[in-house]
Amino acid sequence: MDDRNGLHPSADARGAVAEVLDPWMKRETPRVDEALQRVLRWVAEGGSGGALGPDEIEAIGHGLLGGGKRLRPLLCVAAWRACAEVADDAATPDAVHDIAASLEMIHAYSLMHDDLPCMDDAELRRGQPTTHRVHGEVATMYAGAALIPAAALRARSGCRTLGCSEEATRAVASELLVAAGGSGMVGGQWVDLLGEGMALQADDLDALHRMKTGALLTAALGMGALAAGVDAGRAEALRRYGRAIGLAFQIADDVLDATADAETLGKNPSDTDLDKSTYVSLYGLDEARARATAQIDGAIEALHAVSLDAPILEAIARYVVERER
Ligand code: GRG
C-alpha cells in the first residue's frame, strides 16, 4: 500500500489497528448486510406502507446494497456493544443490526439524492453507476424519499425487539431523525449547496460538516448508547467521540479527494470541479492531516474521560483517517 494521501501512520501502527478491527469487521459487516437485506424484503412486502412499485424497490436495492463501508451502522453496533458490556465472543443480537441499518437507510437515501443531476450529477458511486443512471431520476427520487420514514420505522421496531423501554425507543428514533433533518444532514447539505463558489472560513466549514456528515455519524453513537440504556454522561461522551471522528472523517475525505484517483475512490473526485471549499484548500495538505489526527486523539480522550473500555471504537477512530476510500 502506498501513502499518496499521507494520512497513514507507520506500518506498525496500521497493523495494530487492523489486528483489532479486521476480525471484528469481518464478523459484524455481513450481519449489517443481512439486516439491510431484511429491510429490502420488508419494503418489497409492503412493510413500509406498500405504495412502492418494482422500479422504486429496485432503486432502493441499488442504493442500499451496492457496497460502501457501512461505517454508520458499524459505529452504532460498536457503541451498543461497548455500552451493553457484552463479552467479546458473544454475538450481537439481530435487533441491534436492525437499529444500525436504519442509519444506513438514511445514508443511502442521501447519497442517491446527492448524486442526482439537480445536485452533484454524479455518474459513479462506489465504482458503480449511480442509482439514477440505472433506475432513472423519478424512481431514485421517490425511492430515496421513501427510505426516510422507513428508516424511522426500522429503528423503532429494532428497539422494540431488543426490549428497549418505550422512552428509549422514542429517543433512538428521534436521535436518527433530528440528525437527518434541517439542523443536521439536510441543513448541512443546504449550506453546502449555497456555499458552492464561495470561499468559506474555517468556522463555517466546520459548522457545515458537523451538520452534513457529523450529525449522522454522531447519531450512530448516540443511538447505540441509548439502545443499550446507558446513563446520560456516557451517551454524551460517545456523541463527543462521534463529533470528533465526524470532523476527522470529513478532513480525511477532502485529503482523499485531493490525492486519490477515481479508481481507488470509486467515484470521480469532485470538490475542485464544483468549486467547493475544503479543508485542503483552507489549510493545505499537511495542516489538514494534522487536524484530522488531533480530532482522533480528542475522540479517544472522550472515551477515556468516562472510563469506557472500547478498543473497537478506538480502532474505528484510527481507521477513519487511515482509510483509502
Ligand atoms: C435537498 C438540501 C437537500 C438535502 C437532501 C442529499 C441530501 C439530503 C444530503 C446529502 C448529504 C451528503 C451527501 C453527505 C455526504 C456524506 C458523506 C461524506 C458520504 C460518504 O460517506 P462514506 O464514505 O460512504 O461513508 P460509503 O460509500 O462508504 O457508504
Side-chain angles (χ1 to χ4, degrees), residues 68-69 72 107 109-110 114 119 126 186 189 212 249:
K69 297 179 288 296
R72 294 148 192 83
H107 174 59
Y109 118 74
S110 81
D114 188 49
M119 288 199 237
R126 300 160 171 165
V186 167
Q189 173 79 346
K212 179 177 163 178
F249 178 90

Side-chain angles (χ1 to χ4, degrees), residues 110 112-122 132-133 137 140-141 189-190 193 196 274:
S110 81
M112 289 156 76
H113 280 194
D114 188 49
D115 289 337
L116 284 168
C118 62
M119 288 199 237
D120 273 4
D121 195 10
H132 69 275
R133 295 272 171 143
E137 281 178 53
T140 301
M141 235 161 27
Q189 173 79 346
W190 180 240
L193 291 171
E196 272 174 26
L274 293 172

